[in-house]
Amino acid sequence: MTALDSARWQFAVTASMHFLFVALTLGLVFHVAATQTRYVRTRDPVYARAARFWGSLYAINYAVGIATGLVMEFEIGLNWSGLSRLTGDVFGAPLAMETLVAFVLESTLLGMWLFGWERLDRRLHLALIWGVAATALLSAFWVMVSNAFLQHPVGYVLDSDGRARLTGFGALLGNSALWFALAHVVFAAMLTGGMFVAGVSAWHLRRRPGGEHAELFRRSLRTGLHNALAGLFLTMGFGYAQFGPLDENQPTKLAGGDDAVARQAEMAARYGPGDYIPDSIVGVSLGIMIMVANLLFLILLAARVLAIRDVLSTRRWARPMLWLLTALIPVPFLTAIAGWIVREEGRQPWAVYGLLKTADAVSPMSDGALLASTAGFTTLVVGLAAVDWWLLARKARHGPGDEFLPQPEPAREEVSV
């Protein structure tokens, strides 16, 4: 493999793995916030325990996911110096906002929420988790602002040194490659979180339908299915809505047949010799997404109807659906990877579409050095993902407990002299 191949594979693996963490945290945090809101309004202890249980799973995924994000930061600096040198002043600004305004604040609020149970006023404590949800959404927004610039560069001018300089921050925020894609990502996260909640709840109801926490998981199952179904519907809608801007901003991404030949000729005449039509994996990934989404919609719709009638947890003939919901937990993650293949591989051979080719963006490193770093970083990220899923599965199987509640100090024995 060449240095370019290694750099691309390395970032593809780490970015895909990191996005799986992001999808689950963003999808879970709003479920936790909504569940805790119900507790504050009703004072029903089932909702309190549910918020703490799902919040503990959110915290695990959030903590491990931070490490994968740090790996990506290292990679951008080490492997893509050409990208940073030419356009870093533009696409780096939203990433700086994400770190300073969103991530730091999000982490602070999350820490206060984790240790604030039974220590803070209920409404103040509720405000903290909603603050975590808002800053998580803000974090996703700034990342997508930066990514949208790579897909469709706007709001910049090239100076005398050939470096891109930011001329209008409003142009970045109004990028036609931003808003539909952002909504698509957010609702895909809603689908992911909903499927996770529904799948874990189904597992517990299948194993212990009359257990201590059966009511908690029945409510969580209904909510998870509702969120997953709504998230999937809106994800599909905003996915189709991107076809218009895509045809205008990246005419080669979905080109095929005679249209691909014409597009190739246009790009070669404009930018010089080269292969401007993306690999066939883009079309395959798009087809998989559409097919899986339609099939998953029918399954979730049927499960939602059964859950409303409370059939899933009370009728033996409905138990296979509980097994199926648990087995489907990985599906939103796999379709998310397919979506990123379409978005990222689909703009090749450009690192910044129409402005900087990927071959010119990679750092001047030897093939062996990049191959070694690819092996190292890939092992690290895959290892983190494995640890995350092991921790999540262990906690999910264990079920609710007294997460985050202050523990009474042991009584001190008085010793008489």
Side-chain angles (χ1 to χ4, degrees), residues 41-168:
R41 288 179 176 177
T42 65
R43 303 297 176 91
D44 188 336
V46 174
Y47 287 124
R49 177 156 287 188
R52 295 197 302 270
F53 172 66
W54 298 115
S56 66
L57 293 169
Y58 164 78
I60 290 171
N61 193 70
Y62 181 87
V64 182
I66 290 174
T68 63
L70 294 176
V71 172
M72 289 182 60
E73 297 290 342
F74 277 113
E75 284 188 26
I76 292 176
L78 291 173
N79 298 350
W80 301 101
S81 60
L83 174 65
S84 301
R85 183 169 53 251
L86 179 66
T87 62
D89 292 343
V90 182
F91 93 96
L95 292 180
M97 294 290 288
E98 188 271 337
T99 300
L100 297 175
V101 178
F103 171 70
V104 173
L105 183 57
E106 179 184 1
S107 301
T108 302
L109 294 175
L110 177 59
M112 296 172 66
W113 181 81
L114 291 174
F115 297 102
W117 282 95
E118 303 300 331
R119 294 182 176 93
L120 299 175
D121 175 77
R122 284 191 179 92
R123 295 185 182 277
L124 174 60
H125 191 248
L126 176 63
L128 289 174
I129 191 60
W130 278 110
V132 173
T135 50
L137 185 60
L138 187 62
S139 179
F141 167 74
W142 288 120
V143 170
M144 290 302 295
V145 169
S146 180
N147 183 267
F149 175 80
L150 303 181
Q151 305 290 334
H152 178 53
V154 295
Y156 75 97
V157 65
L158 296 178
D159 63 14
S160 58
D161 296 327
R163 297 184 59 176
R165 301 292 184 184
L166 182 64
T167 58

Side-chain angles (χ1 to χ4, degrees), residues 268-287:
R270 183 175 180 181
Y271 297 106
D275 185 4
Y276 296 96
I277 303 301
D279 191 85
S280 59
I281 192 174
V282 175
V284 173
S285 298
L286 180 62

Side-chain angles (χ1 to χ4, degrees), residues 361-386:
V362 71
S363 298
M365 299 171 62
S366 68
D367 296 350
L370 265 170
L371 183 60
S373 67
T374 297
F377 278 128
T378 300
T379 301
L380 175 60
V381 173
V382 172
L384 287 171

